[in-house]
Structures are given as C-alpha cells and as structure tokens.
Amino acid sequence: MRIRHAAAVAALLAGAPSGPVRAEDWPMFGRDHTNQHFSPLTQIDRSTVKGLRPAWIFQTGITGYFQVEPVVVGTTLYVSTTQNHVAALDARSGRVLWTYVHKARTEKIFGPPSNRGVAVSDGKVFEATMDGRVIALDAATGKVLWDHEAVRPEEGESETASALADTLGANGVQGSSRLGFKMPPLVADGLVIVGVAGAGYGLHVEDAKGGLDGGAVVGIEGGYGRRGWLAAYDAATGAERWRWYVTKADGWEGAFSATTPDGVALHRDIAAEKAAAPAHREAWRVGGGSLWMTPAYDRDLGLIYVGTGNPAPQNFGLSRPGDNLYTMSLVALDVRTGQLRWYYQQVPHDEWGYDVASPPFLLDQPTPKGSVKAVAQGSKTGWIYVHDRATGELLARSEPLITQKNLYAPPTESGTVVSPGPLGAISWHPVAYDARSGSAFAQVRHGATTYVVKTVPATSERPAIRYTETTEAKGEPSFSTLTAVDLARGGAIKWSVRGGSRLSGGTLATAGGLVFSGEEDGHLDAHDAESGAVLWRFQCGAGIGGPPITYSLDGRQYVAVAAGGASFTKGSGFGTGDALVVFALPD
C-alpha cells in the first residue's frame, strides 16, 4: 500500500539542481554528476566524529542484499529496497511519508535481488527495476506517473543454463543470462539514463556452504548471453529516446590486440582466435556487456561516462574471437543521442571477469601541460585509470593497489592462479575523491582465483561442453584494504589500512577530513583521510551493503548507510539485515 503525507509536498525541492549542489544536500547518486562521493560538510570531523551516535533507524522489512545509496532532496530521504519498493522518509526523524510497493512481473531475475538506488528530479522519483522496468513516481505522494517496460519478462532466458544445472552437479545454481537493472538511474538533460545487467552469460554455482564467493562462475563455450545496452528515457513521459548497444555490430573483433592499451601482455592465442573467427561472425549478437553502475556526466561537453562489463560467454573466449568491442571498456557517449565519442578497452578479449564496474568520477587532473578535465575509474585489475574527458587519452595510471599475480594468464585445464580474481581489486563499489588533496579512496580486495577449463563429455543427445570454473585460490592471501591514492601526484599510494573483515559498499569522503567505509561484518568505520587511522566504529548489526552518504538539516549533519549484508554474506558467518542506519552528533 501507499502511505501519503502532506508534509512531503512542502519538503520537496524542484529536483536535481542544474547548477552547483548545496553543501547540505545529497540529491543524487554520488552527490552530484561528478560521482565523487565527496561532501563539503565539516560539522562531523576528526575531533567530533567520536561522538557520532544513531539518530534514527528505518527497517525495510526485507533482509539481505541491501546495497542502496539513499538520496536526500530538501527534507526528504528516498530509499529503495532489494525488491524495488521505495520509501520517502522525513530526513530528520525517519518518519515514513509514503511507500511504494513494487509488484514484479517475474521472479526470475539475474543474480541476487539487489537494487542500488533511485534518482530524484523535477518532482519525480525514478527507479529501474530488477524485472526490467523504468518507473516514475510522484515525489510528493509515491503515485506511479509512468511505468515503461524496457525488458520483456522472458528476455534473456537461457534454456542451456537451466539444463546444465544437473549436468554440472552443482549444489545450487543462481542466475543465468536474464536482463534487468541494478544501477541508480542518471537524470541528465531531461533524460533518465540506465543500463542493463545480466547480459554476460553465467551460472553462479554455490559452494558447499551455500555462498557464491567460494563457488564458481561458469562461462560455457557457445552458450549464449545477451547484448548489453544503455538507454535514455524521456523524464516526462517514459518514452525511449535512444539506445546504445555495448557490442559492436560491425567489427567487434577489433584489432586482435596482443596487449592492453597500456601495454600489458594478454597472453592470447591470436592465431587460434583468427582461425575460429569465420565460424563466429555473429557472436556480437549475444556478446554480453552488462552495465553495473551510474554514469558520470559532464554538462559542458554533453558527455556521459560509463563502464561496461564482461563479454559472453564469460571466462571462455574461443567462441567469441577478437577484442569483443566495446565490452570491458570505459566509454563516453553523447548525452542527447547516445552516439559513441570514445572508448578505452581496459581488457580486450576478457577471460577473467574484469568488468569496468566501479562508477567513473570526474576530476581536474594536473599534467605537465596544465590541468586537464579528466575522468577516472577504479578497476578490477588493480589500477585507477585517469583519462582526458574529451578525447579518452590515458593521462595517468596509478600504482597497483594489490599484488598482481599471473595477470591475464589464460585459464587452463590444470588450473591457473590469477590475482585479482573476478571480484576484482575494485568491484562495483564507488571510489570517493577529494579534489582538495587530489586523493581517491578505494575499498580494495586482495585475493586470487583459480581458473580451470573443464569438459563435460559428449552424449548421444549433445556434443561435449567446455566451460571455465573459478574457485578461490587456496593458500593465497585474502583480505581487504582501504587505500588512499594520490592522483594529483602520479597515482602513488598514500596509505593502505587493512580491514577487520572484507570491505563493502563503497566510500564517502568529507571536508571534515574523514573517509567512511563499511565492512561485511557490520562495522561502519570513519578513517582519518590523511593517515587512514580509524577514529570511530559502529556495529550496524548486518553487513554494510551500500555507499554511505552525508547531509545536513537545521544545522545538524547526518551520515546514513544501508546495513543489510552483501551478495557474498551468505555462508560467510555474517547475517543479513534490513536497516537504514542514520547517525548524527548529540544535540
């Protein structure tokens, strides 16, 4: 049901601002179109943070995979849940103003049920749902204004995936190639922009503990995925205005690159790929390329910047010869038309699951020729890349944030240990950036994965099936760090602090000299931005799943974070929850 409250009308601003964001606000994902996840608020600082206490808690009633980043517009906080329900809350007290209950068209979705947030603009709340819909709600009442079916309920269904569950003898299978949405939408130039996840073919096989992290991601030779895409919808009507497909229809094989664009050897059998190419000319039609997180937007250039995911079939590349353009790339698109302006493919012909997943962020990058308007992205491969926003030229690459091992070594039948694995060094979690110091703050996973090529023998009814299985490498270090990178001075690591458990959700930096970072064991930590020292911790009762935010009302600063567990919590020993926990200093 919907609960309506007249106070919501008075509390509502017109929407996402066209100019600079007020210091007190957090009106969109990343706080503004730069995606910097930085706030200029200073009331909570190094000296006062020790007094931070819960101010109010909102429980969604739905436990698990609570990865949302809330949005605050005026005096109202908007939050979505794992099942795409939405609540509008009084940002001072957590009092419910209204709720929207989503009725999904299908229970078959890609991966775990997670939604990472809404967008608010011009009196509307926009949400992209797991069952493939883009919805506009009245921000004052929660009433549905329009509901656009962007993906058919059956789109992406894979019979191959269903049939293989028994064949592979898995404890349990989660997911297949089914399209839906996870990212918070971007609202820009009167458009609601969002991209699909689930395009990369894969069975996520549970391990004996019921968790996914220790299990396998199976990419099957010849198994079909779907074609990933990003689309823009009219904010007033929901009508689709443009759609950009990740996989290139003409020439997606590219140059059969022997190295990455920054010169790292890929160890590819290019001769074998070229020999296989004639039989796989149409592979781009089902070539994958999910879009995981919200683009950054440069209004002056009229460009949006978004990362693309792995090609399909994942982890097994001979049936998709070539570079597989434009998967595994940071791309710049014209906001008005969706036309590609430039791309930088971090990993041509990926076989390791190194999606460009963490949201890009905008910055001014010092160079020998002066400051350049730039866009940066924290990668799964263990570097932060910095590019010229207008041209895509690589301006800088940070020091490695992890110890890389056998990077880009192909999977083998005997097993290849590679670090990082598919969860990356930096996954979808946002990287915060403080322009005053030129520092980026990233949650970094240190660990290795064993990639094994396996074969299911042929039968009288089907040919042999080859696939790649991934498992956590035994005997290899496995931990997380919060790492500060000095992008203003060549990408050197300033400091790196090991987490008590795996870090999750992403980071928030503030002008109070703090970096907030969550852990899977339920702790929200506040670090000194200069040294990395932990100045404050609070146990939220469940794993931190989403990025923290901060805002201010009536002269009081708040910090809000979702505590519901993360996608890897099952089987980890840490529970799930359903709480949005909001902190403030005592009155």
Side-chain angles (χ1 to χ4, degrees):
M1 66 177 180
R2 265 190 304 273
I3 302 172
R4 301 184 180 185
H5 200 286
V9 179
L12 185 68
L13 292 179
S18 58
V21 173
R22 293 192 324 140
E24 296 84 358
D25 292 344
W26 198 280
M28 65 187 78
F29 178 81
R31 188 174 171 272
D32 60 25
H33 285 136
T34 67
N35 269 354
Q36 288 183 359
H37 283 83
F38 174 83
S39 169
L41 295 177
T42 58
Q43 185 181 83
I44 301 169
D45 61 16
R46 294 183 182 94
S47 62
T48 61
V49 69
K50 59 182 179 294
L52 209 55
R53 299 290 185 272
W56 54 268
I57 296 173
F58 172 71
Q59 292 181 286
T60 69
I62 304 171
T63 59
Y65 309 118
F66 193 25
Q67 298 177 337
V68 69
E69 176 174 305
V71 171
V72 180
V73 176
T75 59
T76 304
L77 183 148
Y78 300 90
V79 62
S80 57
T81 74
T82 59
Q83 301 294 343
N84 294 122
H85 308 327
V86 180
L89 312 172
D90 186 309
R92 298 182 185 91
S93 65
R95 179 170 55 91
V96 176
L97 304 176
W98 55 256
T99 60
Y100 160 76
V101 177
H102 183 66
K103 296 180 180 179
R105 301 164 303 163
T106 177
E107 295 181 358
K108 295 180 179 180
I109 61 171
F110 169 75
S114 59
N115 173 268
R116 293 171 182 162
V118 300
V120 182
S121 182
D122 294 328
K124 301 182 184 69
V125 179
F126 301 100
E127 182 184 35
T129 70
M130 295 179 299
D131 61 323
R133 289 148 64 186
V134 184
I135 297 172
L137 309 174
D138 187 298
T141 66
K143 177 183 177 181
V144 177
L145 299 177
W146 52 258
D147 183 343
H148 178 84
E149 183 181 72
V151 179
R152 297 189 309 275
E154 72 278 4
E155 189 170 347
E157 185 74 57
S158 173
E159 295 303 325
T160 306
S162 302
L164 283 174
D166 293 334
T167 303
L168 298 177
N171 296 306
V173 174
Q174 190 175 98
S176 63
S177 288
R178 173 170 285 278
L179 300 182
F181 300 108
K182 290 183 180 290
M183 70 165 65
L186 167 69
V187 180
D189 201 46
L191 301 172
V192 182
I193 300 170
V194 67
V196 292
Y201 184 92
L203 294 178
H204 298 256
V205 182
E206 295 180 345
D207 62 15
K209 296 179 180 179
L212 295 178
D213 189 34
V217 179
V218 181
I220 299 166
E221 181 185 26
Y224 287 162
R226 288 298 181 267
R227 197 181 184 199
W229 49 262
L230 185 85
Y233 303 90
D234 188 294
T237 66
E240 185 174 313
R241 296 304 181 200
W242 57 256
R243 181 178 294 201
W244 176 76
Y245 284 97
V246 175
T247 61
K248 191 175 188 294
D250 179 18
W252 98 305
E253 296 88 355
F256 288 88
S257 305
T259 70
T260 64
D262 46 328
V264 184
L266 287 167
H267 310 293
R268 292 167 65 174
D269 188 343
I270 291 176
E273 287 183 46
K274 288 184 175 180
H280 298 284
R281 293 297 185 198
E282 302 297 302
W284 60 270
R285 295 184 181 277
V286 288
S290 293
L291 298 117
W292 295 106
M293 290 304 292
T294 307
Y297 170 48
D298 184 316
R299 186 184 303 274
D300 293 335
L301 291 175
L303 295 180
I304 60 174
Y305 306 90
V306 67
T308 66
N310 64 266
Q314 65 189 96
N315 303 131
F316 202 97
L318 203 56
S319 61
R320 48 170 172 83
D323 294 348
N324 311 141
L325 301 176
Y326 300 102
T327 64
M328 315 306 291
S329 299
L330 180 65
V331 301
L333 305 176
D334 187 298
V335 69
R336 296 171 186 84
T337 66
Q339 182 180 0
L340 180 71
R341 290 286 188 87
W342 59 258
Y343 75 96
Y344 183 93
Q345 190 174 35
Q346 290 182 6
V347 188
H349 194 74
D350 172 79
E351 296 192 88
W352 305 272
Y354 291 149
D355 312 74
V356 182
S358 182
F361 58 94
L362 306 185
L363 70 160
D364 294 329
Q365 178 68 12
T367 73
K369 296 181 180 180
S371 180
V372 174
K373 298 294 184 183
V375 56
Q377 198 273 332
S379 73
K380 282 190 174 184
T381 55
W383 291 291
I384 296 179
Y385 296 91
V386 183
H387 303 266
D388 185 306
R389 269 185 239 173
T391 67
E393 176 190 355
L394 183 65
L395 300 175
R397 190 187 73 177
S398 73
E399 293 180 1
L401 309 187
I402 64 168
T403 301
Q404 295 158 326
K405 181 176 183 177
N406 295 330
L407 191 61
Y408 307 134
T412 60
E413 293 183 357
S414 59
T416 303
V417 175
V418 179
S419 176
L423 293 182
I426 304 173
S427 188
W428 65 267
H429 312 100
V431 174
Y433 178 74
D434 185 344
R436 303 169 311 159
S437 64
S439 299
F441 305 95
Q443 293 178 330
V444 182
R445 183 176 188 266
H446 302 250
T449 294
T450 302
Y451 295 80
V452 184
V453 176
K454 293 193 172 184
T455 303
V456 178
T459 68
S460 58
E461 299 178 351
R462 57 157 177 77
I465 299 170
R466 291 188 296 173
Y467 64 95
T468 300
E469 183 180 77
T470 65
T471 56
E472 188 170 356
K474 296 180 180 179
E476 296 288 334
S478 181
F479 59 93
S480 288
T481 58
L482 179 66
T483 299
V485 181
D486 191 344
L487 293 182
R489 295 169 180 81
I493 294 175
K494 294 179 65 174
W495 51 259
S496 191
V497 177
R498 189 162 175 165
S501 64
R502 185 176 305 166
L503 304 184
S504 58
T507 54
L508 160 69
T510 76
L514 300 173
V515 181
F516 289 88
S517 173
E519 301 190 36
E520 71 167 9
D521 70 355
H523 280 99
L524 179 64
D525 305 327
H527 296 256
D528 186 310
E530 286 301 313
S531 67
V534 176
L535 303 178
W536 170 88
R537 302 187 83 204
F538 188 87
Q539 174 54 254
C540 295
I544 304 302
I549 71 162
T550 188
Y551 61 94
S552 180
L553 284 173
D554 305 322
R556 192 183 192 194
Q557 184 180 351
Y558 299 83
V559 174
V561 73
S567 60
F568 43 73
T569 299
K570 186 178 179 182
S572 69
F574 300 111
T576 56
D578 68 344
L580 179 73
V581 186
V582 182
F583 303 89
L585 298 174
D587 288 329

